[in-house]
Amino acid sequence: MTTAPPPTPPALRRSLNLGHAVLYGIGVTVGAGIYVLIADTAARAGMHAPLAFVVTALLVGLTGATLAELGSRFPVAAGEAEYVRRGFGSDRMGVAIGYLVIAMAVVSAATISVGAAGYIRVFLPLDTKLIIVGVVLAMGAIAARDVKDSVTFAGVMTLVELGGLLLIVGAGFMLEPRVLTELPSVLPHSVDPAIWSGIAAASMLAVFAFVGFEGIVNIAEEMKEPRRTLPRALFLTLSITTLLYVLVTWVSLATLGVAALAQSKAPLADVFHRLTGWPRTTMSAIAVVATLNGIVVNLIMASRVMYGLARRSGLPAWLARVSPATGTPVAATFV
């Protein structure tokens, strides 16, 4: 009499295609940073600020190429931890990197939740702490659903967020003549060290606008054909976000001018109001969507890294349990 083998525990579902991965990547990359960094880059690089984003994208692209290569070889959750473990032959170093990625995602989600509460209070004057708790629980419930559902939800919010930025770009090209007439001033026509040092300083700040795209590697274990999908998703995300940043920055500069943009506390809201005459609360509504999106994608990323580490004995084994109903690490998401 033969003994039946023990049942195989549920694993993460490979249900994400290239579109899902790109929307996830854009959602985790395009966040609150661009709403603030435009003013700071304008203060340092002036009319050349769009060029700073291009320079930064080229440098960040080197990291993207590295992640594309490593992610194709090891398409697993907790990707960064696995790359370090394999590269240095050290489980401890891999676990340490995994802990840092988890900390980054949790701190990001927490910080964004505070920002979300501020925007939500514009429309719903409740206690800030109550809003924060409600937002985190609601977004956590979405992150715990089937990954295709949660990433699709985040993708829809990403499209709304992109729609707001594209609305600014479209209004700028249609309503502000300087967007086209002053376009040649983007490129420096001098080797003046002050110009290039300003671009370099702005490029260092612009790095923060691209932070997050590397998180795509942590959903590789849930991608269809990750060896093809992951590299494409990384470079499409980087290309789309770079183009968007350049266009939004240029329209903002042409609309407000360097001095006014550099001093603005809410640059995109000011640009939107100047171009359309619509109330600034319109951008606040879009900011609510952007912040909620940021919470969802960071919770997804943190839970997948926890799952990956737990499966390799870097965290308690119960964090690696996958729900048969949703195909997601519900316990890790709850934590």
Side-chain angles (χ1 to χ4, degrees), residues 13 16 28 38 69 79 81 157 162 182 243 264 272 277 283 288:
R13 295 174 182 169
L16 302 180
V28 78
I38 285 180
E69 175 66 25
M157 293 198 291
L162 293 180
E182 297 197 18
L243 178 61
S264 175
F272 183 80
M283 286 306 295
V288 169

Side-chain angles (χ1 to χ4, degrees), residues 16 20-21 23-24 146-156 300:
L16 302 180
H20 292 121
L23 284 175
Y24 175 88
D146 182 288
V147 69
K148 192 172 182 179
D149 292 341
S150 58
V151 171
T152 298
F153 177 86
V156 170
I300 292 173

Side-chain angles (χ1 to χ4, degrees), residues 49-74:
L51 185 60
F53 285 96
V54 175
V55 172
T56 302
L58 293 175
L59 295 174
V60 172
L62 300 176
T63 300
T66 301
L67 292 174
E69 175 66 25
L70 292 172
S72 297
R73 293 188 184 190
F74 314 112

Side-chain angles (χ1 to χ4, degrees), residues 22-48:
V22 171
L23 284 175
Y24 175 88
I26 294 174
V28 78
T29 306
V30 179
I34 191 62
Y35 289 82
V36 177
L37 287 173
I38 285 180
D40 294 331
T41 55
R44 288 161 176 77
M47 299 299 279
H48 310 307

Side-chain angles (χ1 to χ4, degrees), residues 34 38 165-166 168-169 243-253 268 271:
I34 191 62
I38 285 180
L165 297 176
L166 290 175
I168 291 175
V169 172
L243 178 61
L244 184 65
Y245 290 163
V246 168
L247 291 175
V248 170
T249 303
W250 175 242
V251 167
S252 300
L253 282 165
L268 291 189
V271 170

Side-chain angles (χ1 to χ4, degrees), residues 14-206:
R14 292 198 179 275
S15 57
L16 302 180
N17 58 29
L18 179 61
H20 292 121
V22 171
L23 284 175
Y24 175 88
I26 294 174
V28 78
T29 306
V30 179
I34 191 62
Y35 289 82
V36 177
L37 287 173
I38 285 180
D40 294 331
T41 55
R44 288 161 176 77
M47 299 299 279
H48 310 307
L51 185 60
F53 285 96
V54 175
V55 172
T56 302
L58 293 175
L59 295 174
V60 172
L62 300 176
T63 300
T66 301
L67 292 174
E69 175 66 25
L70 292 172
S72 297
R73 293 188 184 190
F74 314 112
V76 295
E80 295 101 330
E82 181 67 5
Y83 310 154
V84 171
R85 186 182 75 84
R86 297 262 189 165
F88 292 93
S90 169
D91 289 338
R92 288 184 178 181
M93 287 184 66
V95 169
I97 292 297
Y99 287 168
L100 289 174
V101 175
I102 292 170
M104 178 187 72
V106 170
V107 170
S108 296
T111 304
I112 296 169
S113 71
V114 176
Y119 284 115
I120 290 172
R121 289 191 81 247
V122 173
F123 307 97
L124 195 64
L126 297 175
D127 180 74
T128 299
K129 293 179 181 178
L130 181 63
I131 294 176
I132 290 172
V133 171
V135 162
V136 171
L137 290 176
M139 296 304 102
I142 291 170
R145 290 180 58 84
D146 182 288
V147 69
K148 192 172 182 179
D149 292 341
S150 58
V151 171
T152 298
F153 177 86
V156 170
M157 293 198 291
T158 297
L159 292 176
V160 173
E161 182 182 358
L162 293 180
L165 297 176
L166 290 175
L167 184 61
I168 291 175
V169 172
F173 275 90
M174 290 189 293
L175 303 174
E176 178 51 66
R178 295 178 61 199
V179 169
L180 295 177
T181 59
E182 297 197 18
L183 193 57
S185 62
V186 173
L187 297 176
H189 299 286
S190 167
V191 292
D192 183 353
I195 294 176
W196 290 98
S197 64
I199 293 173
S203 298
M204 293 178 68
L205 278 177

